[in-house]
């Protein structure tokens, strides 16, 4: 929607793209987090989390590792509740604990998820514009290249921050203690140790991003043509986002399973001193040896339930935000 009909008037600036992606990220997390909170509560009910145990928390923008703390008897994931399935859990949590409980644990994860989303979406748009001016605006490779590079950049920037956030959460460190902890880790294992788990994230997120943007741009163009729309509507962006997100989620599922294993392994090696597999491929071999090829395709339905709405909400609110700014720019250019 950034490049709408009236030439340069309708271009959105990088600041406007950042604001649109930030608003989209907040709206997405508000819609998607309750699903994950309920899922975690149901998991904890059937299999209580011991100290040092990790679970993956998703706010629709990013997956975060949460480590169960020793003194945290009152952790939101440890609250009692006898739920008979998802709908019952929603109703009981709202009734007994209040509606705010559906967003338990969200604020600390947004500290990292918001900047990551802003970097990712703004870089994608800026890279797309730069590539279009060189390769022509109908080149099919642009979404693949821009999507892959912007995701690679945001994952690389945020990987050490996520590691630090998890460590602070688990050990309840002050900033001074955290500085000492990181300094000693860098001194012992080198700077690259701050990017532990980076390869498994890249293996999942970069192919996902390439496929997502390629299909999204194609579906968007196709639906605009079929519906005779001059520019993508909210419905077109929402539908294209859900469809392309679903396709990318299914294809990258094995890497998602590996990433979850690798993330929890990294933290259990740190907290419970459980030895971890040497590499991402070692994790993959371990899963196949234990559960067969089917082990790499575990959790397809929950992944689709999480990814499809998250992609649809994020891209449609982002496109809507950019459309709002482009019309605003157009007006201000017409009435100087």
């Amino acid at each position: 929607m950034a490049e709408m009909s009236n030439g340069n008037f309708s271009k959105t600036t990088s600041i406007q793209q950042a604001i649109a992606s930030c608003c989209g990220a907040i709206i997405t997390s508000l819609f998607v987090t309750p699903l994950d909170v309920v899922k975690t509560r149901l998991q904890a009910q059937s299999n209580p989390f011991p100290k040092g145990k990790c679970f993956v928390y998703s706010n629709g923008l990013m997956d975060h590792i949460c480590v169960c703390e020793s003194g945290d008897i009152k952790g939101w994931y440890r609250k009692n509740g006898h739920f008979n399935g998802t709908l019952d859990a929603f109703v009981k949590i709202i009734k007994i604990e209040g509606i705010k409980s559906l967003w338990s644990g969200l604020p600390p994860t947004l500290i990292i998820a918001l900047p990551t989303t802003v970097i990712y979406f703004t870089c994608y748009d800026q890279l797309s514009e730069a590539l279009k001016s060189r390769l022509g605006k109908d080149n099919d490779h642009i979404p693949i290249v821009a999507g892959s590079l912007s995701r690679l950049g945001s994952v690389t920037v945020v990987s050490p921050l996520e590691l630090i956030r998890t460590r602070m959460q688990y050990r309840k460190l002050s900033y001074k203690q955290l500085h000492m902890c990181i300094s000693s880790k860098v001194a012992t294992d080198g700077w690259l140790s701050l990017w532990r788990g980076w390869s498994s994230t890249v293996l999942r997120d970069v192919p996902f991003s390439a496929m997502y943007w390629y299909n999204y741009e194609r579906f968007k163009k196709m639906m605009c043509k079929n519906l005779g729309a001059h520019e993508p509507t909210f419905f077109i962006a929402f539908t294209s986002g859900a469809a392309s997100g679903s396709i990318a989620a299914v294809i990258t599922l094995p890497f998602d399973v590996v990433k979850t294993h690798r993330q929890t392994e990294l933290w259990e090696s740190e907290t419970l001193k459980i030895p971890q597999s040497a590499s991402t491929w070692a994790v993959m071999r371990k899963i196949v040896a234990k559960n067969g090829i089917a082990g790499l395709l575990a959790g397809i339905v929950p992944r689709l339930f999480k990814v499809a709405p998250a992609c649809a909400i994020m891209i449609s609110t982002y496109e809507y935000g950019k459309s709002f700014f482009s019309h605003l720019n157009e007006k201000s250019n017409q009435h100087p």
Side-chain angles (χ1 to χ4, degrees):
M1 272 193 190
E3 33 324 299
M4 288 191 246
S5 50
N6 297 346
N8 290 324
F9 286 157
S10 57
K11 286 281 190 293
T12 49
T13 66
S14 53
I15 300 288
Q16 289 171 336
Q17 287 160 5
I19 294 167
S21 55
C22 192
C23 293
I26 291 166
I27 293 165
T28 305
S29 67
L30 290 176
F31 273 100
V32 178
T33 299
L35 300 171
D36 209 66
V37 166
V38 167
K39 185 199 81 180
T40 305
R41 292 287 294 275
L42 288 167
Q43 275 177 349
Q45 177 180 279
S46 59
N47 188 12
F49 299 139
K51 179 204 166 185
K53 182 73 183 160
C54 304
F55 64 92
V56 176
Y57 176 98
S58 172
N59 52 25
L61 307 168
M62 272 179 80
D63 291 340
H64 303 268
I65 280 288
C66 286
V67 188
C68 301
E69 300 142 56
S70 47
D72 192 9
I73 314 295
K74 295 186 183 130
W76 63 268
Y77 44 84
R78 285 216 176 98
K79 281 184 185 168
N80 288 327
H82 300 287
F83 309 127
N84 306 313
T86 307
L87 195 62
D88 185 54
F90 265 108
V91 173
K92 281 183 181 165
I93 289 170
I94 293 168
K95 238 185 215 172
I96 299 160
E97 299 167 28
I99 198 160
K100 269 165 65 180
S101 289
L102 290 175
W103 290 276
S104 302
L106 177 62
T109 65
L110 283 183
I111 294 165
I112 284 172
L114 284 182
T116 310
T117 309
V118 169
I119 292 168
Y120 175 42
F121 277 82
T122 309
C123 283
Y124 174 78
D125 266 340
Q126 295 293 319
L127 278 168
S128 293
E129 281 302 313
L131 289 167
K132 277 174 190 171
S133 62
R134 289 183 170 225
L135 305 172
K137 70 184 180 88
D138 293 324
N139 192 305
D140 278 347
H141 298 110
I142 290 171
I144 299 171
V145 176
S148 301
L149 288 177
S150 53
R151 195 70 198 165
L152 185 67
S154 61
V155 166
T156 305
V157 168
V158 101
S159 217
L161 299 177
E162 179 61 5
L163 197 82
I164 290 162
R165 186 199 68 83
T166 315
R167 186 159 293 162
M168 276 187 91
Q169 180 227 351
Y170 178 66
R171 294 193 188 163
K172 299 238 183 290
L173 300 172
S174 68
Y175 285 102
K176 195 177 177 184
Q177 289 168 318
L178 181 72
H179 183 260
M180 284 168 68
C181 174
I182 293 167
S183 302
S184 65
K185 188 166 178 56
V186 168
T188 318
D189 304 327
W191 279 103
L192 285 178
S193 64
L194 295 178
W195 278 268
R196 280 170 81 200
W198 175 86
S199 60
S200 60
T201 309
V202 164
L203 258 177
R204 182 194 66 175
D205 287 4
V206 171
F208 179 95
S209 194
M211 277 180 272
Y212 172 75
W213 286 109
Y214 175 72
N215 285 315
Y216 174 71
E217 298 292 358
R218 281 189 67 190
F219 290 149
K220 187 171 77 169
K221 210 180 276 181
M222 199 169 70
M223 283 183 79
C224 281
K225 199 175 167 186
N226 290 345
L227 297 172
H230 199 47
E231 57 187 58
T233 60
F234 187 88
F235 170 75
I236 290 172
F238 191 92
T239 313
S240 305
S244 47
S246 300
I247 293 165
V250 170
I251 295 170
T252 59
L253 183 68
F255 297 120
D256 183 59
V257 174
V258 169
K259 168 156 164 47
T260 304
H261 272 263
R262 187 98 170 101
Q263 267 185 317
T264 49
E265 247 189 19
L266 279 172
W267 279 103
E268 284 169 3
S269 76
E270 181 124 340
T271 56
L272 305 173
K273 305 298 175 220
I274 298 169
Q276 54 161 320
S277 306
S279 69
T280 300
W281 300 111
V283 174
M284 208 176 251
R285 284 198 300 273
K286 198 165 114 182
I287 295 167
V288 171
K290 193 179 172 187
N291 304 316
I293 293 291
L296 289 175
L297 303 171
I300 179 70
V301 175
R303 179 149 159 81
L304 278 175
F305 268 108
K306 182 174 73 182
V307 172
C311 286
I313 297 163
M314 180 65 217
I315 196 68
S316 51
T317 48
Y318 178 58
E319 291 276 35
Y320 183 83
K322 286 198 299 175
S323 172
F324 169 79
F325 282 123
S326 69
H327 286 302
L328 205 69
N329 296 349
E330 209 170 312
K331 274 182 196 161
S332 63
N333 278 307
Q334 280 169 359
H335 309 287

